[in-house]
Amino acid sequence: DYIRERRRGQREMFVPLAHPPGQAQADFGEADVVIAGVMEHIEEAGVHSGDSACSIPPYSLSGPVVEEIRRATHAMAKRLKVIGLMNVQFAIKREDGAMNVYVLEVNPRASRTVPFVAKATGVPIAKIAAKVMAGATLAELGVTKEPIPAHVSIKESVFPFRKFVGVDIVLGPEMRSTGEVMGISERFSIAFAKAQLASGVVLPKSGRIFLSVASRHKDQIVGLAKRLTVMGYELLATGGTARRLEEAEIPVELVKKIAEGHPNLIDHLKNEDVSLILNTPSGKGARTDEGRIRAASVQHGVPCITTIQAAEAAVKAMEALRQEEMNVQSLQERFPSSSPVTTLPDQGSSV
C-alpha cells in the first residue's frame, strides 16, 4: 500500500518528464561533455519511460528549466567520469510557484532512445560513443557542441494489447510496450499525428467521441471538449463527466455505465458508433467498469487514450490535420549534408 500511494503521489505531483527523459543523453570524453539531446515525455511521471511518448526538442518546458537540465547533466558527467554515453532521467516539480528539477536516475550507458535521438538530430550518436570508448576524443571527432534539431520528432510506443483479450490497457510504472515508432514534422501537432498513425492509431476526422475522466481531470476535460465540439465531433460521456460538461454548457449525450444496464458504451462500440475514447483511470484492473471499457476498445479496434496529457496532444493533432496535410520525406532528404543513414541498394527510409 505504501508503494502504491507513493506512485500515485508521483504521478500527481510531477509534470511530464524531459527524456532520455528531462532525459538527457550525454557523450563524455576526456574533459568534454556534449549533450546529444533533451527530450520531454508527454505522459506524466509514473508512466514507464519505455511506454511514454516523448518529444525532441522539449515541447512545454521553459528555457530556464532546460538550461538547469543541461547544467546538471554536465556536472554529473564530469563528476562520474563516464566515457561514452550517459542517460539521465529528470522530473520537474512545481513548488511554491517555482519549477524545481530533480534527478530520478543516472545510467552510465546507452538507452533505447539512442537510435531515436540519432534520427531526430542527424548525428550518429552510437558510432561516436563507441569511438570515444575506444580512445578518441570528442574534439578529434569534430563533436564540440550540442546538435540543435531543425524539426520536432515524436517517439511513440507500440503495444501488443490486441493479442491479450480482456487485459486493461492503462499505462503505469511497468513497461508494456514491444516496439517504437516516430513521427517528424516542423510542428509538434503534425509530428504527433504521424507517430500515432505509425503506431496504428488513426485519429478520427469526424464521428462520436466518448469521454470519461477521473475527478482530478474534470476541469481539464472541459477545455478539450469545447475544442472537439468546435471541430464538429459529437460527445458521449458517463454521469460524472457528462454533468461537468453540461455545467460548462457543452452538448453531450449521457451514456450508462456498464453496471447500470443498457445501452452502455460497449453497446455503442458493437454498433460502431464511437470513433475515439478518452478515458483517464480512477481505478485499474480488467474487472473494473472502466477496465472493461478499455479492453472493449481494443477488441473493437477503437483508439483509447488513457492520460490527460496524451489527450491534449491528440486534440492538438486533430486540429492541425484540419489545417494541413501530412507530408513524407526520406531521412536522406532531411539530412543531406550529414547523410546519417546508410541503406542497401533500392532501399530507403521515410518519415
Side-chain angles (χ1 to χ4, degrees):
D1 289 341
Y2 173 79
I3 294 175
R4 189 179 297 113
E5 287 301 315
R6 292 301 297 165
R7 283 175 177 167
R8 183 178 297 119
Q10 184 190 51
R11 288 198 299 273
E12 293 178 355
M13 285 192 299
F14 291 115
V15 301
L17 294 176
H19 184 70
Q23 253 174 323
Q25 295 274 10
D27 235 327
F28 180 78
E30 296 292 334
D32 300 322
V33 178
V34 173
I35 294 178
V38 179
M39 306 192 300
E40 180 181 355
H41 287 180
I42 292 174
E43 280 78 14
E44 61 193 355
V47 173
H48 193 286
S49 62
D51 288 350
S52 177
C54 62
S55 169
I56 181 170
Y59 72 100
S60 73
L61 297 180
S62 66
V65 168
V66 175
E67 284 307 310
E68 176 60 17
I69 287 172
R70 289 192 175 102
R71 187 201 65 77
T73 302
H74 274 262
M76 287 185 288
K78 290 183 177 181
R79 180 67 174 175
L80 295 173
K81 299 181 180 180
V82 176
I83 304 297
L85 280 165
M86 186 180 84
N87 171 268
V88 190
Q89 296 192 24
F90 297 89
I92 296 85
K93 179 183 178 184
R94 186 183 297 278
E95 296 175 307
D96 300 324
M99 302 298 283
N100 294 326
V101 178
Y102 290 86
V103 177
L104 292 184
E105 60 182 71
V106 183
N107 299 302
R109 57 166 176 76
S111 76
R112 72 180 64 82
T113 46
V114 166
F116 169 66
V117 176
K119 289 181 175 68
T121 61
V123 177
I125 301 168
K127 180 187 292 186
I128 293 169
K131 290 183 177 180
V132 168
M133 294 173 72
T137 67
L138 290 174
E140 290 172 349
L141 297 173
V143 182
T144 57
K145 58 183 180 179
E146 177 181 345
I148 305 300
H151 46 266
V152 179
S153 297
I154 304 291
K155 183 216 79 174
E156 183 57 280
S157 300
V158 178
F159 300 93
F161 295 132
R162 297 201 70 172
K163 297 181 180 179
F164 300 94
V165 178
V167 69
D168 191 354
I169 66 173
V170 69
L171 302 178
E174 302 86 11
M175 182 175 170
R176 307 175 78 181
S177 63
T178 53
E180 294 177 344
V181 295
M182 68 183 290
I184 300 176
S185 177
E186 277 61 44
R187 298 176 62 184
F188 169 85
S189 50
I190 296 296
F192 184 83
K194 285 184 175 183
Q196 294 305 299
L197 183 61
S199 69
V201 175
V202 179
L203 297 174
K205 294 185 177 181
S206 61
R208 310 175 90 188
I209 297 178
F210 173 78
L211 309 176
S212 180
V213 298
S215 298
R216 65 185 181 278
H217 298 140
K218 288 287 197 294
D219 291 335
Q220 289 172 273
I221 200 64
V222 169
L224 296 179
K226 286 180 179 178
R227 290 157 63 186
L228 289 170
T229 55
V230 167
M231 288 187 280
Y233 295 98
E234 297 178 27
L235 304 182
L236 309 173
T238 49
T241 304
R243 282 192 297 274
R244 184 64 187 88
L245 297 182
E246 288 170 346
E247 289 170 4
E249 299 182 348
I250 298 173
V252 59
E253 179 181 333
L254 178 65
V255 175
K256 291 180 180 180
K257 292 184 177 181
I258 296 174
E260 295 172 346
H262 301 274
N264 54 49
L265 180 62
I266 293 180
D267 296 317
H268 286 284
L269 289 172
K270 290 177 179 177
N271 294 332
E272 300 182 354
D273 283 346
V274 178
S275 302
L276 177 67
I277 295 174
L278 304 182
N279 172 236
T280 65
S282 53
K284 294 183 181 180
R287 295 185 180 181
T288 63
D289 198 77
E290 56 189 278
R292 291 172 64 189
I293 287 173
R294 291 189 290 265
S297 73
V298 175
Q299 181 181 352
H300 293 280
V302 176
C304 181
I305 295 172
T306 62
T307 68
I308 199 69
Q309 294 83 8
E312 170 68 34
V315 172
K316 281 184 181 178
M318 291 155 76
E319 290 171 331
L321 290 173
R322 281 167 161 68
Q323 301 168 6
E324 66 177 271
E325 295 290 331
M326 296 183 192
N327 53 36
V328 178
Q329 188 177 35
S330 72
L331 290 173
Q332 291 86 346
E333 291 172 319
R334 190 169 286 277
F335 301 111
S337 56
S338 56
S339 299
V341 180
T342 0
T343 58
L344 298 174
D346 300 318
Q347 290 184 326
S349 300
S350 62
V351 292

